[in-house]
């Protein structure tokens, strides 16, 4: 009787195995069919070229070569960096490592002497030509150091093929002397004729209210509001060969500009600066309305920080609704004029920062990394991995393959022979798996973050199943 029983057991086991395999195939088919219900959103429609910051003639090596995926910017400061004149040297000590990691540019704080001298973060400018070499406003050096140390920093960055962007505050000034003002009938702090450099002297005629009117688009903090319609202001900011813009670019060797508080003056000002001075530029127009951001960028002929993206990421990642990443953002309107970021010296709201960095470093635009996130708060190895992926794999236009509350999958479609990538973001507490459509048929792919050990092969129809860790991300491309 033993043999029939054994035979029956084998038949039962084999039948169970067949049923199990059949069930798995059905589940796989159902899973793929579920993913196929999501209508792919082709977000951008252009020729696929990466974000370009243009060329520069100030590099000591004479070359700036963007990576296949474009560049990555480092905001090389935070609010209230250590005082004492050491910051330029601190940043100088970092640029070789940053260059090796793939950072293509650094954004420095306002470099000139401000009202609070050695204690100022530079956003209350007095003398645009005092870089820490005049005894003025209570100190010789600025909070960040001396002019010599700044020049050494810029040279060191250029030696690593890193561009250097100056934070330019041209909405308002501070630190002037009191003078009788016929336009206000009072005394105002608008006499800047005694500045130590002797360059760009200003009086009440150069500030609102004046002969041009009572005000422009906006004032800030009660500081004297520069009038860009005044010829003296135009001359010294962007027209004169020895003026602020051209001196910073041609003598100090800055490669571009971050314009502070551009809500305070018309976009024509940045447009005129860019036309006369050149260099990369990005404006701080603090507004989540993408229509407003696009309007400003187009009229200023400049890039703009993508606050629309910033606030959508905050709502998506911290509000557990990744479908919000389908919404409109500046980089979707014009990826060549959008500078994306996760936090900066003014605002730090996003809690799920690594998910946000995985988003901006795989998507279009010009991603910015915040100094403290990189050097202090987050995992530098993970950020370096994302920078490498951005530089080498994040190419081409963007398509959203799937999104719901806790899953988001998008595809970069590749450019100029580079295959692009697929990024999978999972905001849930468990591993997730999903079928998605790639651009690659019968091709083995891998997760370049190392978060998944899978090496799946895409089907003939380019579909493949990938996975993503909880509260994490995986980024897939051809295994080569």
């Amino acid at each position: 009787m033993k043999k029939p029983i054994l035979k029956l057991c084998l038949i039962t086991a084999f039948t169970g195995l067949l049923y199990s395999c059949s069930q798995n195939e059905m589940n796989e088919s159902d899973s793929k069919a579920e993913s196929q219900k999501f209508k792919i959103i082709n977000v951008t429609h252009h020729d696929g070229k990466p974000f370009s910051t243009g060329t520069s003639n100030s590099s000591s090596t004479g070359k700036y070569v963007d990576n296949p995926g474009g560049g990555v910017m480092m905001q090389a400061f935070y609010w209230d960096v250590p005082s004492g004149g050491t910051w330029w040297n601190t940043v100088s000590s970092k640029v070789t490592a940053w260059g090796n990691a793939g950072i293509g540019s650094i954004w420095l704080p306002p470099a000139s002497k401000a009202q609070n001298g050695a204690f100022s973060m530079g956003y209350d400018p007095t003398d645009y030509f005092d870089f820490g070499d005049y005894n003025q406003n209570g100190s010789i050096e600025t909070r960040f150091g001396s002019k010599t140390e700044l020049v050494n920093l810029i040279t060191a960055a250029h030696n690593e093929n890193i561009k250097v962007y100056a934070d330019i505050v041209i909405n308002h000034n501070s630190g002037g002397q009191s003078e009788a003002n016929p336009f206000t009938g009072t005394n105002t702090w608008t006499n800047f004729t005694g500045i130590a450099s002797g360059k760009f002297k200003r009086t009440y005629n150069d500030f609102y209210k004046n002969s041009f009117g009572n005000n422009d688009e906006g004032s800030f903090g009660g500081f004297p509001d520069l009038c860009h319609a005044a010829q003296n202001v135009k001359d010294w900011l962007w027209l004169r060969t020895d003026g602020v813009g051209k001196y910073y670019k041609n003598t100090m060797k800055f490669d571009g500009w971050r314009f502070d508080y551009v809500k305070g003056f018309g976009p024509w000002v940045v447009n005129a600066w860019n036309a006369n001075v050149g260099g990369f530029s990005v404006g701080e127009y603090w507004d989540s309305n993408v229509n407003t951001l696009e309007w400003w960028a187009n009229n200023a002929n400049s890039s703009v920080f993508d606050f629309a993206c910033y606030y959508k990421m905050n709502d998506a990642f911290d509000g557990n609704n990744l479908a919000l990443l389908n919404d409109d953002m500046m980089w979707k309107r014009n990826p060549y004029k959008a500078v994306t970021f996760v936090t900066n010296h003014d605002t730090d709201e996003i809690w799920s920062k690594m998910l946000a960095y995985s988003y901006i470093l795989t998507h279009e635009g010009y991603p910015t990394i915040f100094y403290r996130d990189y050097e202090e708060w987050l995992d530098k190895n993970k950020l370096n991995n994302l920078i490498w992926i951005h530089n080498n794999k994040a190419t081409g236009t963007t398509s959203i393959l799937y999104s719901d509350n806790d899953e988001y999958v998008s595809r970069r479609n590749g450019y100029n022979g580079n295959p692009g990538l697929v990024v999978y973001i999972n905001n849930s507490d468990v591993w997730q798996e999903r079928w998605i459509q790639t651009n690659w048929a019968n091709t083995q792919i891998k997760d370049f973050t190392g978060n998944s050990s899978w090496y799946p092969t895409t089907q003939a129809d380019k579909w493949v199943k990938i996975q993503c860790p909880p509260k994490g991300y995986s980024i897939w491309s051809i295994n080569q």
Side-chain angles (χ1 to χ4, degrees):
M1 295 295 293
K2 290 182 178 178
K3 288 185 177 180
I5 293 175
L6 177 61
K7 185 175 181 180
L8 180 61
C9 289
L10 288 172
I11 292 172
T12 302
F14 183 67
T15 303
L17 180 62
L18 287 176
Y19 175 79
S20 176
C21 293
S22 175
Q23 193 68 27
N24 286 338
E25 289 176 359
M26 288 176 62
N27 289 339
E28 291 290 321
S29 177
D30 290 345
S31 175
K32 183 176 178 181
E34 182 66 25
S35 293
Q36 287 174 327
K37 291 180 182 178
F38 185 89
K39 186 176 180 180
I40 293 176
I41 304 170
N42 293 315
V43 179
T44 54
H45 305 83
H46 54 85
D47 65 2
K49 288 181 181 177
F51 191 104
S52 174
T53 57
T55 57
S56 172
N57 59 9
S58 63
S59 169
S60 59
T61 57
K63 61 179 181 179
Y64 284 115
V65 181
D66 278 335
N67 300 285
V72 176
M73 186 194 309
M74 174 71 74
Q75 180 179 351
F77 68 99
Y78 52 93
W79 194 255
D80 284 345
V81 299
S83 58
T86 62
W87 192 249
W88 296 146
N89 288 338
T90 296
V91 176
S92 290
S93 71
K94 306 286 186 183
V95 294
T96 296
W98 291 351
N100 291 338
I103 297 297
S105 63
I106 57 174
W107 154 27
L108 299 182
S112 63
K113 188 71 62 65
Q115 180 177 8
N116 287 324
F119 301 101
S120 176
M121 283 297 296
Y123 290 94
D124 51 342
T126 299
D127 188 341
Y128 288 97
F129 293 90
D130 179 0
F131 296 98
D133 47 336
Y134 294 99
N135 191 351
Q136 183 173 211
N137 292 358
S139 69
I140 295 177
E141 291 192 346
T142 67
R143 183 188 192 99
F144 314 114
S146 68
K147 180 178 181 179
T148 298
E149 290 164 343
L150 174 59
V151 170
N152 290 341
L153 163 57
I154 295 171
T155 301
H158 286 163
N159 287 338
E160 301 298 331
N161 286 333
I162 293 175
K163 299 179 185 180
V164 184
Y165 302 147
D167 201 318
I168 294 292
V169 184
I170 57 173
N171 176 74
H172 52 273
N173 290 168
S174 186
Q177 302 301 306
S178 178
E179 63 180 347
N181 189 328
F183 294 101
T184 64
T186 64
N187 272 39
T188 54
W189 300 93
T190 49
N191 184 350
F192 291 82
T193 60
I195 50 177
S197 71
K199 297 180 179 181
F200 192 15
K201 296 178 179 181
R202 287 144 279 160
T203 67
Y204 58 78
N205 290 298
D206 300 306
F207 299 91
Y208 288 106
K209 79 186 196 186
N210 61 8
S211 61
F212 292 94
N214 292 337
N215 58 272
D216 58 2
E217 280 76 4
S219 59
F220 183 84
F223 295 123
D225 187 27
L226 268 177
C227 173
H228 302 93
Q231 193 62 47
N232 184 55
V233 176
K234 294 179 186 178
D235 286 344
W236 275 104
L237 284 183
W238 64 79
L239 290 177
R240 290 177 62 125
T241 57
D242 60 344
V244 176
K246 293 176 183 177
Y247 183 87
Y248 277 47
K249 184 171 186 289
N250 299 326
T251 301
M252 297 299 291
K253 303 299 184 183
F254 281 104
D255 303 289
W257 328 101
R258 180 266 186 189
F259 288 99
D260 179 68
Y261 190 62
V262 297
K263 278 188 174 183
F265 47 90
W268 69 268
V269 173
V270 172
N271 194 315
W273 178 297
N274 290 339
N276 285 276
V277 180
F280 172 76
S281 78
V282 56
E284 181 216 20
Y285 200 102
W286 197 328
D287 198 310
S288 64
N289 187 323
V290 68
N291 292 319
T292 305
L293 296 176
E294 184 181 35
W295 163 82
W296 186 87
N298 288 342
N299 283 277
N301 189 28
S302 172
S303 295
V304 66
F305 283 105
D306 196 345
F307 278 93
C309 176
Y310 172 76
Y311 285 111
K312 285 299 177 184
M313 288 195 298
N314 185 46
D315 294 342
F317 295 125
D318 295 348
N320 199 38
N321 184 5
L322 300 193
L324 291 175
L325 297 176
N326 298 348
D327 289 355
D328 206 0
M329 304 173 189
M330 182 60 194
W331 73 259
K332 298 182 181 183
R333 295 281 186 95
N334 188 340
Y336 304 115
K337 288 187 176 178
V339 176
T340 53
F341 65 101
V342 172
T343 187
N344 62 32
H345 62 294
D346 286 326
T347 182
D348 188 4
E349 297 183 34
I350 297 174
W351 183 256
S352 303
K353 284 187 175 182
M354 284 308 302
L355 297 188
Y357 276 115
S358 76
Y359 181 85
I360 69 168
L361 286 162
T362 53
H363 286 67
E364 295 181 68
Y366 192 5
T368 307
I369 295 177
F370 184 54
Y371 179 94
R372 300 197 85 170
D373 284 344
Y374 187 82
E375 292 290 345
E376 300 175 23
W377 294 339
L378 302 180
D379 188 325
K380 186 182 292 188
N381 291 327
K382 290 182 177 179
L383 286 172
N384 283 343
N385 172 251
L386 287 172
I387 293 167
W388 184 92
I389 288 170
H390 172 272
N391 290 344
N392 292 278
K393 301 293 181 183
T395 61
T397 56
T398 303
S399 301
I400 298 174
L401 307 182
Y402 183 82
S403 65
D404 61 21
N405 283 352
D406 54 24
E407 288 179 86
Y408 172 87
V409 189
S410 70
R411 184 179 70 210
R412 295 295 300 279
N413 294 308
Y415 174 73
N416 198 28
N418 187 291
L421 57 77
V422 170
V423 56
Y424 189 174
I425 300 175
N426 173 15
N427 205 25
S428 77
D429 295 320
V430 297
W431 279 85
Q432 300 268 26
E433 300 175 0
R434 183 154 298 280
W435 281 91
I436 52 95
Q437 188 175 28
T438 70
N439 286 322
W440 319 301
N442 303 314
T443 303
Q444 187 184 73
I445 63 173
K446 73 173 184 178
D447 172 19
F448 278 82
T449 71
N451 291 330
S452 171
S453 59
W454 284 8
Y455 286 81
T457 298
T458 61
Q459 298 179 340
D461 60 1
K462 302 181 182 180
W463 283 78
V464 68
K465 187 165 77 170
I466 56 177
Q467 64 173 180
C468 189
K471 298 296 181 183
Y473 54 88
S474 55
I475 301 169
W476 306 79
S477 190
I478 293 175
N479 183 20
Q480 62 183 24

